[in-house]
């Protein structure tokens, strides 16, 4: 499974001044680059997994696919990259038996969240 992130950053520097490296590093920390990348990786993986189960988003009907999109929920987690709010998709399995869940989040088969804990190790 691959996650694709397209990002563009513009850095403007005054050519008449010398900028300390620490100041440049601090500016990257202020824009929370690690948190942004993590959030986009999770979003990309979530969308790809749901699309694999349910087909393309906003497609008419579900064709012969077994699974259906079933809304989203917000999940908050705190990691070493900061606090994040993820919007995760649910998938419905209309053919589920008593032993299988009717609703599930495909991302949780690939990325493990530490239960309902907000602080993730």
């Amino acid at each position: 499974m691959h996650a694709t992130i397209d990002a563009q950053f513009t850095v403007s520097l005054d050519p008449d001044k010398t900028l300390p490296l620490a100041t440049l590093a601090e500016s990257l920390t202020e824009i929370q680059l690690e948190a942004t990348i993590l959030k986009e990786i999770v979003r990309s993986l979530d969308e790809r997994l749901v699309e694999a189960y349910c087909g393309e988003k906003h497609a008419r009907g579900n064709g012969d696919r077994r699974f259906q999109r079933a809304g989203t929920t917000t999940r908050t987690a705190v990691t070493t990259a900061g606090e994040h709010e993820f919007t995760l998709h649910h998938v419905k399995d209309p053919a589920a038996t008593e032993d299988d869940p009717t609703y599930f989040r495909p991302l949780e088969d690939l990325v493990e969240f530490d239960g309902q804990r907000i602080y993730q190790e």
Side-chain angles (χ1 to χ4, degrees):
M1 178 67 52
H2 297 281
T4 303
I5 300 171
D6 296 320
Q8 182 176 346
F9 297 96
T10 302
V11 178
S12 299
L13 302 174
D14 186 350
D16 297 330
K17 293 183 179 179
T18 302
L19 181 68
L21 182 60
T23 304
L24 186 58
E26 184 178 317
S27 67
L28 291 176
T29 302
E30 286 175 2
I31 63 170
Q32 299 176 340
L33 188 58
E34 298 91 351
T36 302
I37 291 172
L38 177 63
K39 188 171 183 175
E40 285 303 308
I41 288 172
V42 169
R43 186 204 56 76
S44 176
L45 289 172
D46 183 57
E47 186 56 43
R48 284 178 182 257
L49 288 167
V50 172
E51 193 171 294
Y53 277 100
C54 305
E56 209 173 307
K57 190 174 186 179
H58 303 300
R60 299 197 106 208
N62 202 26
D64 59 354
R65 295 187 184 264
R66 172 180 170 180
F67 300 99
Q68 301 170 351
R69 290 176 186 263
T72 60
T73 56
T74 302
R75 175 79 193 255
T76 302
V78 178
T79 67
T80 56
E83 185 173 341
H84 319 282
E85 193 169 280
F86 301 110
T87 301
L88 304 176
H89 288 86
H90 288 272
V91 170
K92 180 181 179 182
D93 182 1
T97 62
E98 289 182 19
D99 297 331
D100 297 326
T102 304
Y103 293 90
F104 63 98
R105 290 189 282 209
L107 182 69
E108 291 179 346
D109 291 338
L110 186 61
V111 176
E112 181 180 358
F113 286 87
D114 189 7
Q116 294 298 319
R117 294 185 177 132
I118 193 167
Y119 293 98
Q120 304 286 311
E121 293 183 20

